[in-house]
Amino acid sequence: MDNVAENDYFTSKLQELRHNPCLMKPLSAAILFLFALVAVISFIFNFPSLALGFILGPIFARKAWFIEFLYPLGIGRWGHLFLVRLTSNNKKNHSQTLQQRIEVIPNKLYIHPISQLLDNLAYLVVSCEGNGTLGAFVVDCGHAREFLEQVEAIRERHYKSRQLELQAVVCTHKHHDHTAGNKEILEYWPDAKIYGAKVERVPHCTDSIKNGDLLHLPKCGDENDMNDFARLEVICVPGHTRGSVTYALRTIEYGDKPFCFLFTGDTMFSGGGGVPFEADYQKEQGHKIKGGGYIRASAGMNATERCFAELAIRSQLVHNPDNVLIFPGHEYTTELLNRQFVQNAGDISHWSKFSPAVFFRTASQLYVTNHRRALPQGKLLTVPSLLSLELDINPIYRRLRKRGEDIVRAIQLWYRLFARTVLPSEEENIHLNGKLKTETKQKASRQLYDGTKAKGIWNVKTEDISKPIFTAVYTSDLDRIIEQADEGQINLENLAESLRYMKHHAEDQAVGRRPIPGTLPSEKAMYNACLALALIGSPPCAMTISDSVALGLPKPVSPGNTHKIKVSLERILIVLSFLGLISEDVEGMNLAAQIRLLWREAAEYGMSDNYKANIDNEARNEDILELGVLRWMLFGIEANQPTWFERYCMPCGKAPPKQNYLDHPLNGMGEQRRTNGELIKHDPTTCELCRGMTGSAGVRTCKACPALQKEESQSESVETEHDDTFDLHANALSPQRAAASQMQSIQLQFSPSSFSDSEPAMPPNIYRLNVDLDDRVETIQTVRTF
C-alpha cells in the first residue's frame, strides 16, 4: 500500500503542476515557439514527414495547453475579438432576438436572449413585478456595447421604458467571448457583482462561487424581489475549462409543472457539447481492463459525458425532461447537426443502430434550424432547446444511452451467472423515488396560446417551446388508419389509440440486438461497462486536489487507482430512467431490482474480510460503492491493477490484489468463449424498412393496438450472430449454426413475385429454413445470396 500512496502523491503533484499557470504559461509559450521553429526548419530543409511526425506529434496532441494558458493573456483577448470583428464584417446582431422573450412566470419573470459577436449569446433575466425599477442579471457578457444597446431596446419595446438595474453578471467560464464586457458593465453599473468560479480567474470577478451555491438574485425595493419566486443554483461542470459553471434557474411553487432553465455556456449546446480544452489528456487505452488498463473518467470527452449526466440529475426533472430548457452560450445548432450527417463522423453517424424516430427527429431538427437560419428578413434563433429533444439529437446523450445499455447488459449477465439470490418473476413496489419513466408516456394535451400579442413582441411560453414540429411515423401505419377510417371500421376511441401507437411505433428499434447466450463479454465490453459505471454513477470531479477544495467537487482519482472511484446506486437508477432504459412496466421494475440486488451483494462483499480492510468510510453505505468492488462482482477483475511504472520496474513490485481470482464463480465455469458479438433479430419480410424489397409477405401489426387489424403470419424473425467490428451480414451465422439455434420449425416465406429479375436485389444472406430438430433433419436452401 505504500507504493500506491506514493503513486497517488506523485500523480496529484503532477496534476497540480499541469494546471499551474505560473509554470504552464511560459512552458506553453516555449512549446509554441518550438513548434513554429521546427515547422520552419522542416520547410527549409524538407524533413521527411515521418521524422517530423515523431517530433511534432506529442506537441500537437497537447494543443489544448495553448488555449488554457496562452488564450487568457491580453494578446489572446485582442486576437480573438479582432478575428470575430473581421469575420462578422461589422454586422450587428447575428440573430433576431429583440422581439423575443421567454416567459418564466407571467408578468413577473422573463428571459431575453441577446446576440453578441459572431455567434455568442447572452441572456438577460428580468424581474418586472410591480411598476417600479426592473431588476435583472445577465449570463455572460462578451461585448458590452452590443449588450447595452440591446438592453435599451428591450426596455423600450417590452417594459415601456421602465428603469432597469443590472445587479449581477454570472459568468459560465473565463473565455473572452463570454467575459470581455465585464469591465464596461462595472463602469455602467458600479454596484453590480461579477460571479465566477473560484479557480477560473474570470476577468474583474468580484464574488467567487463553488458547486451547489445559491446566488442572491436581484431585488429592487419591497415589491420586486426575484428571490420570492426563483432560485439560481451553481453547478460546476469542469471540462471545457477547469472551472466551467452551469446555472440552474428554478421557479418556486409556480403552477402544477415546475420548470428548470439551464444556462450551460460552452458545456452543452443544442446538438453537441463544448471541446474539453482543460480536461485531462485522453489516451487510447485499447479498451483494456486487465493487465494495466485504466479508466480515465475525467479525461477528454469522458469528462463531457460525465457533465451531461450531472446536468440531467441536477435539473431535478429527469422524469419530465420536457420541462427542462437548455440555454447554450453559442448559436451552433445547425453546424453541429450537419456534422452528424457527414460520412466520416464516427459513431455518432451509425444511424442503423438507432431507431427511425431518433434519425428523423435529428433530420427534422436540422431542417428546422436551416429554415430559421436562412430567413431573408433576419435569422431566428434555434435555442432554447428541450432536454427531451437533446436526448435524441445530441450525440453525447446518445453515447450516454449506449453507456447505460452497457451497464444493463453487464448487470443482466451477472444476474444470470453469479447472483446468489433469485428474484421473483414479477417484482412489485420497485420505484425510483416514487417515479419511473414510462415507455409510452401519454402527454396531456396543451392548449395553444391564444392571448393577444403586442406588435413586435414575441412572448414565448415554455409550453410553446415543448411542442415538437415534426413527428416520425410509418407511412404504412398512416395508410391503414386512413383506409379503416374511410371504410368506417374504426371508432373515435380506437382512432386515438391507433394514432398514439403510430407515434410510438417508429421509436422501436428496427433491428433487435442481444448478447450471444453461453458466452462471456470480451475485454472491450468489460472495459466499456466499467467506464459507463464511472461516467454515469459518479459526479464530475475537479482537475486537481486544490480545485476540489475551492469548488466543492470530489477529488480527482489517479489512473492507477480507478478502482477507488465512488459509484452511486441512486445516480445509476436516475440516469438509466432518464435515458429510457428503466421503465415502469414489469421488465423495468425487474431490472431495477437486479441493480439493487447487485449493490446489496456487492456491499456485503465489500464489508467482508476479503475487501473491507482497504475500503474507506465514505464507501461504507448501501448507495455508494467503489468501482473495484463492482467490477470484481461483475467480471472477476481484481482491484489492484499494476501501474505502468510497476510493470517495468521489477524491484518496486506490485501491491497484493484485494481479491483472489479463485474465489470468483467465474473460475468454476471452465473455458468460455469471450466475444463482443451479438445476436441480431431481424425479419426483412415484416420490417417496415425492408418490405419494399422483400415482396408482399403480409403485414404484421402491433398487438397492443386493437384498432389495427391483426394478421397471423407464419413468418418469424431469425437471429444471426453479429460482431460490431463487421457488417451485419458479413458476420452472420453459418446456415448450420443458424438452423441449430432456431425453434423446432422456422419458415421464412417470400412471395414468388419478390424474386423477379426485374426487381431490386434481396438483402444478402437471406435463407429459407425448414428445420425439424426432433428428426435431426436440417434442410437449408439459400434463396438468394450476394
Side-chain angles (χ1 to χ4, degrees):
M1 295 304 295
D2 292 338
N3 288 339
V4 175
E6 290 178 2
N7 288 332
D8 282 345
Y9 176 80
F10 180 70
T11 303
S12 64
K13 285 298 183 183
L14 283 180
Q15 289 174 334
E16 293 286 349
L17 294 175
R18 152 72 179 84
H19 293 281
N20 188 337
C22 297
L23 172 66
M24 294 302 296
K25 280 183 181 179
L27 180 59
S28 299
I31 291 175
L32 183 61
F33 175 77
L34 178 63
F35 185 89
L37 181 63
V38 172
V40 171
I41 295 176
S42 63
F43 177 77
I44 296 174
F45 294 98
N46 195 17
F47 278 6
S49 57
L50 180 62
L52 191 63
F54 279 116
I55 299 174
L56 299 182
I59 299 176
F60 190 74
R62 290 161 176 81
K63 58 184 179 295
W65 289 4
F66 308 145
I67 304 295
E68 182 175 356
F69 299 107
L70 301 183
Y71 172 78
L73 300 177
I75 189 173
R77 178 182 185 275
W78 175 85
H80 188 172
L81 298 181
F82 173 77
L83 290 176
V84 167
R85 287 192 295 267
L86 186 64
T87 54
S88 62
N89 295 323
N90 294 322
K91 292 182 180 179
K92 292 184 178 180
N93 304 338
H94 58 76
S95 303
Q96 290 191 73
T97 58
L98 178 59
Q99 301 92 329
Q100 182 181 6
R101 65 176 183 178
I102 291 90
E103 181 183 276
V104 180
I105 301 177
N107 302 318
K108 287 186 177 182
L109 192 61
Y110 296 92
I111 299 174
H112 296 265
I114 295 178
S115 60
Q116 303 177 112
L117 302 174
L118 186 62
D119 47 35
N120 279 77
L121 289 171
Y123 299 98
L124 181 70
V125 183
V126 178
S127 172
C128 59
E129 190 173 19
N131 297 316
T133 303
L134 302 171
F137 71 88
V138 63
V139 181
D140 288 347
C141 181
H143 196 285
R145 180 174 55 82
E146 293 181 0
F147 171 74
L148 293 174
E149 290 176 356
Q150 294 184 66
V151 168
E152 187 64 23
I154 288 172
R155 286 179 52 240
E156 295 177 0
R157 177 162 297 196
H158 294 275
Y159 302 105
K160 300 178 181 180
S161 297
R162 290 168 59 182
Q163 188 67 28
L164 184 143
E165 182 180 347
L166 187 74
Q167 297 187 4
V169 179
V170 293
C171 303
T172 58
H173 60 293
K174 63 189 176 187
H175 288 168
H176 298 305
D177 56 336
H178 295 260
T179 60
N182 288 355
K183 181 179 179 181
E184 289 81 357
I185 292 294
L186 286 177
E187 294 174 354
Y188 198 87
W189 285 287
D191 295 331
K193 294 183 177 180
I194 309 292
Y195 291 99
K198 286 187 176 181
V199 302
E200 191 64 356
R201 298 177 181 268
V202 170
H204 306 282
C205 179
T206 61
D207 293 72
S208 298
I209 55 178
K210 65 180 185 300
N211 187 47
D213 283 350
L214 292 176
L215 302 186
H216 182 75
L217 296 176
K219 178 181 179 181
C220 296
D222 296 332
E223 64 176 3
N224 189 8
D225 187 354
M226 197 183 297
N227 298 281
D228 292 340
F229 41 80
R231 294 286 185 270
L232 188 66
E233 182 186 3
V234 176
I235 305 174
C236 286
V237 280
H240 183 68
T241 65
R242 59 191 289 200
S244 287
V245 169
T246 289
Y247 297 94
L249 179 68
R250 301 189 182 91
T251 56
I252 301 176
E253 298 180 356
Y254 166 67
D256 57 347
K257 294 180 181 179
F259 284 87
C260 179
F261 306 85
L262 295 177
F263 301 97
T264 58
D266 285 2
T267 297
M268 181 192 296
F269 305 121
S270 179
V275 179
F277 288 119
E278 300 185 18
D280 292 341
Y281 177 58
Q282 189 169 16
K283 298 179 180 178
E284 291 295 334
Q285 294 297 312
H287 300 104
K288 291 183 178 180
I289 195 63
K290 290 185 176 182
Y294 303 138
I295 292 175
R296 300 176 181 269
S298 59
M301 291 305 296
N302 291 344
T304 303
E305 293 181 40
R306 220 178 191 183
C307 292
F308 272 51
E310 177 75 358
L311 291 179
I313 294 174
R314 297 284 289 277
S315 71
Q316 301 179 5
L317 292 173
V318 293
H319 305 291
N320 197 359
D322 281 348
N323 289 5
V324 181
L325 275 70
I326 308 298
F327 294 82
H330 289 268
E331 178 53 84
Y332 283 164
T333 311
T334 305
E335 178 184 353
L336 292 173
L337 293 178
N338 269 316
R339 289 181 186 178
Q340 299 183 37
F341 293 93
V342 177
Q343 184 175 4
N344 298 322
D347 59 346
I348 66 173
S349 61
H350 292 170
W351 294 110
S352 61
K353 295 186 178 181
F354 302 107
S355 69
V358 170
F359 173 81
F360 285 111
R361 283 194 190 116
T362 308
S364 63
Q365 188 65 13
L366 174 59
Y367 183 87
V368 171
T369 57
N370 276 320
H371 169 77
R372 292 179 180 177
R373 302 303 292 171
L375 295 176
Q377 66 270 33
K379 299 178 180 179
L380 293 183
L381 288 179
T382 63
V383 294
S385 178
L386 293 173
L387 187 60
S388 57
L389 179 63
E390 295 302 314
L391 274 174
D392 291 332
I393 72 171
N394 199 308
I396 298 178
Y397 270 127
R398 295 203 299 266
R399 196 174 293 125
L400 266 181
R401 181 179 174 85
K402 179 63 171 65
R403 304 284 190 202
E405 291 172 352
D406 291 337
I407 294 176
V408 170
R409 184 174 297 184
I411 291 177
Q412 289 176 339
L413 176 68
W414 166 84
Y415 178 73
R416 290 197 304 269
L417 298 180
F418 308 132
R420 299 193 303 269
T421 305
V422 178
L423 296 171
S425 58
E426 294 186 4
E427 188 75 13
E428 297 181 355
N429 300 322
I430 301 294
H431 295 282
L432 178 58
N433 295 329
K435 298 179 181 179
L436 280 174
K437 185 175 180 179
T438 59
E439 288 184 346
T440 57
K441 180 173 58 176
Q442 299 182 10
K443 301 177 183 178
S445 60
R446 302 186 180 100
Q447 294 183 352
L448 292 174
Y449 177 65
D450 56 0
T452 58
K453 297 184 179 182
K455 185 177 180 180
I457 295 178
W458 302 339
N459 198 43
V460 184
K461 286 195 171 186
T462 50
E463 290 86 351
D464 296 331
I465 297 175
S466 62
K467 292 186 178 72
I469 298 175
F470 294 102
T471 298
V473 298
Y474 286 114
T475 303
S476 59
D477 291 341
L478 181 61
D479 289 343
R480 281 195 295 271
I481 293 176
I482 294 175
E483 180 181 354
Q484 291 171 350
D486 287 340
E487 298 176 357
Q489 299 177 358
I490 187 169
N491 56 36
L492 291 179
E493 181 181 355
N494 288 338
L495 177 61
E497 189 173 353
S498 298
L499 292 174
R500 190 177 300 113
Y501 157 76
M502 181 176 65
K503 182 177 178 180
H504 293 289
H505 186 197
E507 297 178 357
D508 297 335
Q509 291 285 352
V511 176
R513 300 171 183 269
R514 66 184 180 92
I516 302 173
T519 63
L520 296 176
S522 65
E523 194 163 359
K524 177 181 178 180
M526 292 190 292
Y527 172 86
N528 289 336
C530 293
L531 177 60
L533 284 170
L535 298 183
I536 292 178
S538 62
C541 66
M543 297 302 165
T544 65
I545 294 178
S546 60
D547 285 3
S548 69
V549 176
L551 297 176
L553 290 172
K555 297 179 180 179
V557 178
S558 63
N561 291 313
T562 50
H563 60 276
K564 293 184 178 181
I565 295 176
K566 305 299 188 299
V567 182
S568 167
L569 169 64
E570 182 181 6
R571 288 181 65 94
I572 293 289
L573 291 175
I574 290 175
V575 176
L576 292 184
S577 174
F578 166 70
L579 296 173
L581 299 174
I582 296 181
S583 56
E584 207 173 36
D585 56 10
V586 173
E587 182 180 356
M589 290 189 287
N590 282 336
L591 175 58
Q594 292 174 15
I595 298 174
R596 294 181 187 277
L597 177 62
L598 169 64
W599 244 255
R600 186 163 63 247
E601 293 191 5
E604 293 173 359
Y605 174 80
M607 299 303 296
S608 65
D609 293 337
N610 293 333
Y611 199 88
K612 71 179 181 181
N614 296 319
I615 195 170
D616 57 29
N617 292 328
E618 184 182 354
R620 292 176 182 271
N621 62 70
E622 296 182 357
D623 178 64
I624 299 177
L625 292 175
E626 287 187 351
L627 180 61
V629 181
L630 291 172
R631 69 184 188 182
W632 166 256
M633 297 293 293
L634 291 171
F635 306 118
I637 302 172
E638 296 89 344
N640 282 351
Q641 295 290 312
T643 65
W644 66 271
F645 188 74
E646 291 169 340
R647 293 203 306 272
Y648 295 106
C649 182
M650 298 302 294
C652 295
K654 176 180 178 293
K658 294 181 180 180
Q659 302 98 347
N660 186 350
Y661 177 72
L662 298 178
D663 297 334
H664 196 276
L666 187 64
N667 183 58
M669 296 181 62
E671 290 294 330
Q672 294 283 332
R673 176 190 173 196
R674 290 192 177 274
T675 178
N676 198 41
E678 303 171 304
L679 284 182
I680 301 300
K681 184 176 183 180
H682 179 252
D683 184 357
T685 63
T686 58
C687 174
E688 296 283 356
L689 307 179
C690 300
R691 286 194 298 111
M693 294 291 107
T694 58
S696 54
V699 178
R700 175 182 297 176
T701 59
C702 179
K703 295 182 179 180
C705 183
L708 300 179
Q709 296 293 329
K710 309 179 186 63
E711 298 183 9
E712 296 296 332
S713 174
Q714 295 179 343
S715 176
E716 296 292 340
S717 298
V718 177
E719 288 187 327
T720 56
E721 186 176 348
H722 167 56
D723 193 299
D724 280 338
T725 57
F726 298 98
D727 183 76
L728 170 64
H729 301 289
N731 197 35
L733 283 173
S734 64
Q736 291 77 11
R737 293 180 61 194
S741 65
Q742 304 308 310
M743 302 294 291
Q744 291 187 355
S745 180
I746 301 178
Q747 294 181 351
L748 285 182
Q749 303 276 348
F750 299 96
S751 65
S753 61
S754 64
F755 303 122
S756 62
D757 294 335
S758 61
E759 292 189 353
M762 291 284 293
N765 289 357
I766 300 299
Y767 299 104
R768 181 183 182 92
L769 307 182
N770 191 1
V771 184
D772 189 349
L773 298 183
D774 289 339
D775 298 331
R776 299 298 186 268
V777 176
E778 299 181 2
T779 304
I780 302 173
Q781 176 185 358
T782 301
V783 177
R784 182 171 290 189
T785 304
F786 296 89

